[in-house]
Amino acid sequence: MDYIEMHAHMVSRTTDDYTQMALMGCAAITEPAFWAGWDRSTADGFDDYFRQLTEFEPKRAARFGIKHYTWLCLNPKEGEERDLARAVVRRIPKYLDHANVLGIGEIGLNRVTRNEIETFKDHVALALEHNQMILIHTPHLEDKHKGTRAIIQALQSFPNMDPARVSIDHAEEHTIEMILDNGFWTGLTLYPQTKVSVARAVDIIEMHGADRVYVDSACDWGHSVPAAVPRFVMEMRRRGHADSLARQIVWDNPIAFLGQCPKFEPPVSAHAV
Amino acid sequence: MSETSRPKPLPAREAVDEYFIENRHRVLDVAAFLDRLDRSGGDWRSDYRMAALVRAIGVLAEPGAGRAQRIQMIFSDPTVEPKPKLDQKAARGAWDPASEKGA
Ligand SMILES: [Zn+2]
């Protein structure tokens, strides 16, 4: 089944991963800016990374017939450093006109500190000022519930924030309700250990429905699986769900959400009916 | 936007037929992990992560749906106030009640 990978850090993946994803039916990828696994020391380092995301990576993906989009920010893992965050936020606008930039992301919180919240709000203000869509990372593990609540609160402090143009990613059993009830889109991230399994993702769909929900692999340099979205489709079939429902989650919903950005060109599915 | 009615889960008997073996395997893996800790002879029960895990295991035998959500909340930080500053870069999987005292 053709699909759109809503969250993948392809700068950390091999050409072999691109090949496998193309073979599995991946038509487009959206790549949020991420933490490198170590802290970048200067705003210049971010400039290089943003050039990689806007200039180099789309060309790399195109060799496999995959359309590459990106989201820019200083990632929540680095949000504690306020001076660096402010410097990076000042540099982002010059990249926003790039053809593959969908908006600001993945912003959010890591350990839910005061500084992280300020850095998050700086990014939201930047996005709203430039009419950009927003992709949000919610914290890991024990910090997820508290962090998701704090993120929603911070977003709602901006009177002109439209939740329909914001996705709050990495939802799990205990956070999906507050995300959907407040009008946001959400992603279920399929991880081998630290987020949801494909089985739990299907459970969540069974309990909450598929409106404003998509799934993603969030594959990066850590434990993660580029084939996660096709595995989700297999699990949907194993549970006896119609392919039309799986297709809504891995294809139609991503297009509906991303289509709100005029730069997003809906890919053509080989399996379109 | 299309409105989707909630998709139905597999009938119980079919779900058991399909998923029993892999979940039997998971329970044995957890049991063997606890045995391993006992064999090590150390005091693992006072570790906040293991204390949360033991509570979570108790939820498995409770009746009624919502176990996954209840277990998520056992591992979650229940506090509301943001941390004054970054304590560590990575989450550890369970909230440490002792972390509040020092903060
Ligand atoms: Zn990510």
Side-chain angles (χ1 to χ4, degrees), chain B:
Chain B
M1 215 174 297
S2 70
E3 79 273 332
T4 321
S5 55
R6 303 279 148 86
K8 288 203 172 41
L10 272 183
R13 179 57 199 259
E14 279 176 52
V16 173
D17 287 347
E18 181 69 22
Y19 290 93
F20 176 74
I21 294 291
E22 63 196 66
N23 285 291
R24 176 186 185 278
H25 163 82
R26 289 190 179 109
V27 169
L28 281 169
D29 239 17
V30 174
F33 173 50
L34 299 181
D35 287 348
R36 205 174 305 141
L37 294 175
D38 278 338
R39 282 188 287 113
S40 76
D43 168 28
W44 56 266
R45 285 182 184 271
S46 60
D47 184 300
Y48 68 95
R49 293 165 297 180
M50 290 308 299
L53 193 73
V54 168
R55 281 169 60 210
I57 291 167
V59 171
L60 297 180
E62 288 176 7
R67 294 180 192 85
Q69 191 171 346
R70 291 207 292 284
I71 288 175
Q72 288 276 21
M73 294 313 291
I74 286 174
F75 291 124
S76 292
D77 180 349
T79 65
V80 176
E81 282 303 306
K83 291 183 172 65
K85 61 180 176 46
L86 190 68
D87 53 347
Q88 64 199 38
K89 203 81 165 175
R92 300 222 166 110
W95 177 65
D96 181 2
S99 66
E100 281 308 292
K101 289 169 200 143

Side-chain angles (χ1 to χ4, degrees), chain A residues 55-256:
Chain A
E55 296 171 20
F56 180 72
E57 207 59 35
K59 288 188 194 126
R60 196 169 161 238
R63 286 170 50 212
F64 303 89
I66 296 175
K67 187 91 182 152
H68 180 278
Y69 294 96
T70 192
W71 310 78
L72 303 179
C73 72
L74 170 139
N75 190 269
K77 281 272 191 191
E78 289 156 313
E80 187 73 4
E81 296 304 321
R82 292 289 295 135
D83 289 343
L84 182 63
R86 277 188 284 256
V88 173
V89 164
R90 275 197 300 271
R91 291 183 187 209
I92 290 174
K94 68 172 183 264
Y95 296 95
L96 294 178
D97 287 337
H98 270 273
N100 75 330
V101 176
L102 296 171
I104 300 300
E106 57 181 310
I107 57 172
L109 301 175
N110 177 39
R111 289 287 285 171
V112 198
T113 70
R114 287 183 198 146
N115 278 2
E116 288 174 9
I117 291 174
E118 289 312 306
T119 296
F120 173 66
K121 286 180 164 175
D122 286 350
H123 280 93
V124 175
L126 173 78
L128 296 178
E129 185 188 330
H130 294 269
N131 196 29
Q132 297 292 307
M133 293 179 66
I134 299 177
L135 178 64
I136 290 178
H137 162 95
T138 52
H140 302 275
L141 305 168
E142 72 268 26
D143 301 318
K144 184 174 296 292
H145 187 266
K146 175 180 179 177
T148 304
R149 197 175 45 203
I151 283 166
I152 291 174
Q153 228 171 42
L155 285 165
Q156 290 175 337
S157 71
F158 291 84
N160 54 340
M161 183 277 308
D162 176 6
R165 300 189 78 224
V166 179
S167 176
I168 302 184
D169 205 351
H170 316 321
E172 295 187 29
E173 290 88 348
H174 55 326
T175 57
I176 188 163
E177 209 166 272
M178 64 172 126
I179 296 171
L180 292 177
D181 285 355
N182 283 292
F184 300 99
W185 283 74
T186 194
L188 305 173
T189 299
L190 310 163
Y191 259 17
Q193 291 181 350
T194 50
K195 293 186 169 76
V196 301
S197 62
V198 289
R200 283 167 52 212
V202 177
D203 293 332
I204 291 171
I205 299 287
E206 287 174 352
M207 290 185 285
H208 296 276
D211 283 351
R212 284 180 285 126
V213 181
Y214 58 82
V215 294
D216 58 64
S217 77
C219 58
D220 55 19
W221 43 259
H223 292 291
S224 49
V225 181
V229 174
R231 283 180 184 278
F232 165 83
V233 174
M234 279 175 65
E235 182 70 14
M236 288 287 284
R237 289 173 177 160
R238 196 175 168 203
R239 299 279 188 97
H241 294 307
D243 269 7
S244 57
L245 179 63
R247 191 185 158 85
Q248 182 192 342
I249 296 159
V250 307
W251 186 265
D252 300 336
N253 283 357
I255 289 175

